[in-house]
Amino acid sequence: MLKFTTAGESHGQALVAILEGMVAGVPVLSADIDAQLARRQQGYGRGRRMQIERDAAEILSGIRAGETIGAPIALLIPNRDWKNWQDVMDPAPREGETADTMRRRAVTRVRPGHADLTGLLKYDRDDARDILERASARETTARVAAAAICRVFLAQFDITIGSHLVNLGGVDASRPDPFPADVNAAADASPLRTLDANAESLMIERIDQAKRDGNTLGGTCEVVVDGLPVGLGSHVSWDRKLDGRIGAAMMSIPAVKGVEIGIGFAAARALGSEVHDEIHPAPGRTLSGGVRRATNRAGGLEGGMTTGEPLVVRVAMKPISTLMRPLGTVDMATGEKAEAVAERSDVTAVPAMGVIAEAMLAFVFANAMLEKFGGDSLGETRRNYDAYLAHVAQRT
Ligand code: EPS
């Protein structure tokens, strides 16, 4: 099983990711990781922090001479902003500091919608900075770094992942027809990672307005995975169904509140005949088992398994809970009514969320590939993959 973990606070010294279970022989360069980190930093509506950071990963272990060696891969991404926060984040107690004194930049006016209040109570802290530093979406930097290696692994099997923004602050972007073969090449050229230029201008106006108003905006991204073979995941048990694993991975992204696979919630309102995808013979289309779906409303999954059609997921993010014109709250230091803290933040981070959703899907599918095809080296995984597809081709 592939697994990864991350560590690090938003204004701490660095972020760390450890990816374990990747086979040996995958060609990985730090440039592959840094390219993904740079994509995550983009997006109109980000705050000043993104001008401070130039995220780049230092490979500490698990990769030698440009290839994975099968050992745990440790990555370190320094926080440039840390130099401004060293005293606030210092792990050591400082002279005169007691349990009753607060450090500079203590947060007690907890933000509605944030982890501040529940975290403070649950972990029995007085300063919500002990919570918010880790709740910060800065953590997703480490996820994107670890998942960049999963992406390289998937690319060895011609599996690619792309995303685009389909709604921001209530403005819908239309899905282009024909849909571009390289979604990211098109989306990354847009400041909002959207494929509809008209909608983009409206969205930018809306972001500017929200910024003037001290407000924030949410939105939705669509993520597409191409090149998956039929039969990843399984129908036999709840925890092997890919719908569930995808849902969990997407919902673990900070501020994400909804996930749809294929037509998602719309399927609940339609007739069966309007929902299910008719199956046609397609000899030679081996990845999907010698058939094709006339439509792909299922979004590439049936019974918790890949069909071989593109995997389509939509991910909805709520507006960031740090408002420059704050909502009412309670000051947890005094118990009195107060205005919530207004820390520097982004007006919106939906474009970045699409990149993070790609990363989480890369992890889910690298894991699903390794589960099905196994192996300790890329060559071994490939032989198993080739044998499976040869068999599928022969029976269809
Ligand atoms: C975030 C607050 C902002 C964001 C940050 C997430 O950072 P800061 O508090 O330093 O201004 O820019 O996002 C990132 C740093 C990032 O890398 O995505 C928060 O509170 O969640």
Side-chain angles (χ1 to χ4, degrees), residues 251-275:
M251 294 294 283
S252 78
I253 299 169
V256 164
K257 285 300 193 187
V259 185
E260 291 186 313
I261 295 173
I263 61 170
F265 273 57
R269 298 174 184 277
L271 290 167
S273 57
E274 298 164 339
V275 168

Side-chain angles (χ1 to χ4, degrees), residues 306-386:
T306 52
T307 59
E309 301 293 341
L311 191 291
V312 185
V313 185
R314 287 188 171 214
V315 188
M317 182 184 194
K318 70 179 179 178
I320 287 168
S321 52
T322 309
L323 305 183
M324 292 308 137
R325 187 173 293 168
L327 294 173
T329 189
V330 170
D331 187 332
M332 294 303 283
T334 63
E336 303 290 327
K337 280 173 80 158
E339 278 193 348
V341 69
E343 284 230 343
R344 173 186 70 186
S345 188
D346 310 309
V347 176
T348 190
V350 183
M353 183 273 283
V355 177
I356 298 156
E358 289 176 31
M360 293 307 291
L361 277 184
F363 171 73
V364 168
F365 282 106
N367 193 26
M369 285 284 286
L370 287 170
E371 225 170 44
K372 172 122 184 76
F373 302 114
D376 295 303
S377 66
L378 182 61
E380 189 177 2
T381 312
R382 170 160 294 288
R383 287 191 292 280
N384 297 339
Y385 171 86
D386 288 343

